[in-house]
């Protein structure tokens, strides 16, 4: 299962990098979202994917049972999902505002407009 997820993570990173190289700001935002999902999936995979043992520490023990999943990575992913959604909403509002102000979502036009004003 981890091998399949490694290929899926690699494909998501490749798609995200491709989208980030585009000139359209909406596609850049989509690339950032896909990249954050790939990182979340990577963290989830690194935290060990198993149903063999619950990550509960027995009374008197100092560590969870050997072979259990790491609950810390799952908690980090839940936090990253919320932060990623906030980033998506904020960046889409910025792109919309830029489109309303400049009538374009092309990143190259932003650079040309910035140097024309100087």
């Amino acid at each position: 299962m981890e091998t399949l997820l490694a290929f899926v993570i690699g494909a998501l990173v490749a798609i995200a990098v491709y989208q980030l190289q585009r000139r359209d700001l909406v596609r850049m935002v989509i690339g950032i979202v896909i990249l954050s999902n790939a990182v979340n999936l990577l963290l989830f995979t690194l935290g060990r994917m198993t149903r063999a043992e619950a990550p509960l520490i027995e009374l008197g023990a100092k560590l969870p049972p050997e072979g259990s999943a790491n609950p810390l990575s799952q908690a980090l992913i839940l936090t990253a999902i919320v932060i990623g959604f906030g980033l998506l909403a904020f960046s889409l509002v910025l792109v919309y505002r830029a489109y309303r102000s400049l009538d374009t979502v092309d990143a190259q036009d932003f650079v040309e407009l910035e140097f024309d004003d100087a």
Side-chain angles (χ1 to χ4, degrees):
M1 186 67 171
E2 285 84 6
T3 306
L4 174 65
L5 284 174
F7 284 118
V8 170
I9 292 167
L12 285 175
V13 169
I15 292 168
V17 169
Y18 177 75
Q19 290 294 328
L20 286 171
Q21 292 176 349
R22 309 295 286 181
R23 288 174 51 169
D24 188 7
L25 290 178
V26 177
R27 291 186 181 178
M28 286 183 185
V29 170
I30 291 171
I32 290 171
V33 170
I34 292 173
L35 186 62
S36 70
N37 286 331
V39 170
N40 288 342
L41 190 58
L42 176 69
L43 287 174
F44 185 68
T45 305
L46 290 176
R48 212 175 300 126
M49 298 178 51
T50 182
R51 291 184 176 180
E53 292 281 337
L56 301 174
I57 300 175
E58 298 291 329
L59 187 63
K62 294 188 185 226
L63 297 172
E66 189 66 33
S68 63
N70 188 358
L72 179 63
S73 62
Q74 297 171 9
L76 288 174
I77 292 168
L78 286 175
T79 305
I81 288 171
V82 173
I83 292 171
F85 181 72
L87 175 69
L88 170 66
F90 182 70
S91 59
L92 284 178
V93 168
L94 284 178
V95 169
Y96 177 71
R97 179 68 180 141
Y99 173 72
R100 295 285 295 192
S101 297
L102 303 172
D103 292 330
T104 185
V105 291
D106 191 3
Q108 188 65 33
D109 292 342
F110 289 134
V111 173
E112 291 171 2
L113 287 172
E114 183 179 320
F115 287 124
D116 289 341
D117 291 341

